[in-house]
Amino acid sequence: MFSPLILPNGSRLPNRLAKAAMEENMADAGQLPGPALRRLYRSWAQGGVGLIITGNVMIDGRAMTGPGGVALEADTPLEPFKAWAKAARHNGTQVWMQINHPGRQVMAAMGGTAWAPSAIALEMGKHSKMFAQPTAMDSTQIEEVITRFAATAHAAEQAGFTGVQIHAAHGYLISQFLSPLANQRTDQWGGSLANRARLLLEVVQAVRERVSPGFCVAIKLNSADFQRGGFSEDDAKQVILLLNRLPVDLVELSGGSYESPAMQGKTADGRTLAREAYFLTFARELAAVADMPIMTTGGIARKAVAQQVLESGIAVAGMATALAEVPDLPLQWQAGKEPHALPKPVEWKNKTMAALARMALITRRLQALGNGHSRSVRYSPLVSLIVSQLRTKRITRRYREWFQQRA
């Protein structure tokens, strides 16, 4: 667990524990990282993880997963990002920027751009209207997205990050192209899995061409979408085989989307996930065919479970919620301590609202850490959800003003 890992490009992770991405929604005005994010990431750097992967950083400020998200484009000022990278690398930790485009997973209230492989809206039941109606992308827009991924990766390296993670999971744009449910195109970007994977492969190649050989390029990939007729485990295996041909330094395996939040332990296709290390079975099977190191995230909060993951042939154990609860969990494990590192579960009948409440609890904890309050507090899910919705309304107004000024 605490031994180093040498990646394919020769760079080194100090240990096998990673802080996986969480969407903080904590950007300052202008969608830039500020003091709160620096304090938050410094706490993780001091907490003993070998790798920190940032929350979503958007490649296009017109398309955001949330109004408090960070955006990094070719002409974005780099000083705030340099300060962020410096804080996250405080303890010699590797820090990778997760770069992403949300595709159709854009809130309607934000008024942004909702591009998608096909004009198929999210199916969220009575909550579907919360999301924008997507438009099918033309070839020019697809090429623009590829260029934007490469430009953001280049900017991340200039700012001092040691790598990027290209987000191809959780129902965001690249994941939408991979899914036969969301991608019903009949051109070179749709149909066969090779065509549906084309966007991911071209993004990886474009990014690799813009960054130096020592800069890490990783992928976050669904082991499955956990939707009937969606991206399957066999699809994931075939994509790994395609990625084996490219200079990829690590693949993180997760699962699910907004429609089927398997990353929170819930699925839409009725399958039951493991209570801990949700995706370990899938990760083991995919690691068997992967040339690059594999990382898995989801439901890891105990030392014994992390050790089980690593002993299963997985190179890196990723944690998210556990490190929001206990930022120095790796150091505590090293010292022989076993703190409880999970919030109280939210078991509401309305699954969508329960998922939102779980995210609100985590976000509230991240905001507390960003404000310098390290003591763990048991927040009310209902109060946290209300506070989150009020805050979201406020920062949505701020985002819309910024969006209109840019336009």
Side-chain angles (χ1 to χ4, degrees):
M1 186 179 301
F2 296 102
S3 62
L5 174 67
I6 305 301
L7 298 173
N9 71 346
S11 62
R12 176 181 180 274
L13 300 185
N15 62 50
R16 309 301 183 96
L17 298 174
K19 195 291 289 183
M22 288 177 279
E23 186 168 16
E24 306 96 359
N25 219 22
M26 289 168 56
D28 277 6
Q31 313 310 126
L32 298 171
L37 279 174
R38 293 199 297 270
R39 283 190 291 266
L40 175 61
Y41 277 75
R42 185 180 289 266
S43 72
W44 283 321
Q46 293 172 333
V49 289
L51 168 64
I52 293 173
I53 303 174
T54 73
N56 273 325
V57 173
M58 296 296 112
I59 63 167
D60 186 345
R62 301 169 300 178
M64 307 287 292
T65 55
V70 174
L72 177 57
E73 300 170 279
D75 58 351
T76 303
L78 286 183
E79 288 308 314
F81 291 89
K82 290 179 179 179
W84 188 18
K86 183 178 179 182
R89 296 179 65 182
H90 177 72
N91 202 29
T93 305
Q94 282 249 12
V95 56
W96 298 352
M97 180 184 290
Q98 185 185 81
I99 58 177
N100 192 16
H101 190 294
R104 65 180 181 171
Q105 292 185 166
V106 173
M107 303 297 287
M110 291 175 60
T113 301
W115 287 349
S118 303
I120 300 170
L122 281 170
E123 179 48 61
M124 301 283 290
K126 65 181 181 181
H127 303 289
S128 298
K129 291 183 180 179
M130 293 171 59
F131 296 92
Q133 174 63 43
T135 57
M137 299 170 71
D138 61 30
S139 58
T140 301
Q141 291 165 337
I142 292 172
E143 292 300 329
E144 179 186 332
V145 162
I146 294 168
T147 300
R148 281 181 173 274
F149 268 103
T152 297
H154 174 72
E157 182 174 24
Q158 298 301 111
F161 290 83
T162 60
V164 290
Q165 183 189 67
I166 298 163
H167 204 333
H170 297 175
Y172 296 118
L173 183 64
I174 297 179
S175 179
Q176 290 161 34
F177 269 84
L178 289 169
S179 167
L181 294 177
N183 183 352
Q184 297 184 7
R185 301 176 73 97
T186 57
D187 61 4
Q188 63 176 329
W189 304 99
S192 68
L193 179 60
N195 280 356
R196 288 184 278 121
R198 189 184 304 276
L199 178 61
L200 171 60
L201 301 180
E202 294 207 8
V203 166
V204 172
Q205 290 171 313
V207 165
R208 191 76 267 179
E209 288 171 3
R210 288 293 308 274
V211 299
S212 65
F215 188 75
C216 298
V217 177
I219 315 292
K220 186 164 191 169
L221 182 71
N222 272 357
S223 53
D225 284 350
F226 299 95
Q227 290 177 272
R228 291 183 178 89
F231 185 76
S232 68
E233 297 94 315
D234 186 63
D235 288 341
K237 184 179 291 187
Q238 297 307 313
V239 171
I240 292 287
L241 292 172
L242 292 171
L243 290 171
N244 280 344
R245 306 172 189 172
L246 301 178
V248 173
D249 296 298
L250 182 140
V251 171
E252 177 189 356
L253 292 169
S254 186
S257 64
Y258 286 15
E259 293 175 320
S260 179
M263 56 283 198
Q264 296 184 357
K266 311 292 181 181
T267 67
D269 62 4
R271 276 187 280 182
T272 301
L273 296 175
R275 188 171 63 87
E276 299 174 287
Y278 307 146
F279 308 113
L280 178 56
T281 301
F282 307 105
R284 264 198 301 250
E285 294 172 359
L286 294 172
V289 301
D291 290 345
M292 73 291 288
I294 296 294
M295 166 180 162
T296 190
T297 301
I300 302 172
R302 296 190 298 122
K303 185 178 181 180
V305 175
Q307 193 64 48
Q308 178 194 359
V309 167
L310 298 172
E311 289 173 356
S312 298
I314 308 304
V316 180
M319 296 179 288
T321 303
L323 289 171
E325 289 291 306
V326 186
D328 64 345
L329 190 59
L331 288 183
Q332 294 210 39
W333 283 352
Q334 236 178 338
K337 299 177 182 178
E338 293 272 356
H340 182 74
L342 285 178
K344 187 177 179 180
V346 182
E347 301 292 351
W348 295 352
K349 289 183 180 180
N350 187 315
K351 301 303 182 185
T352 299
M353 297 308 292
L356 291 172
R358 280 192 290 271
M359 288 189 286
L361 284 169
I362 296 167
T363 302
R364 193 171 179 188
R365 173 63 177 153
L366 296 176
Q367 290 165 356
L369 291 170
N371 290 326
H373 306 309
S374 59
R375 186 173 65 87
S376 182
V377 176
R378 292 291 177 185
Y379 298 115
S380 158
L382 179 58
V383 172
S384 297
L385 181 56
I386 293 169
V387 168
S388 174
Q389 290 178 331
L390 292 173
R391 179 177 179 273
T392 297
K393 285 183 179 179
R394 176 172 54 82
I395 60 176
T396 295
R397 287 194 297 270
R398 185 186 72 181
Y399 169 76
R400 288 179 69 97
E401 290 171 1
W402 176 78
F403 181 86
Q404 289 163 4
Q405 287 170 1
R406 281 167 47 104

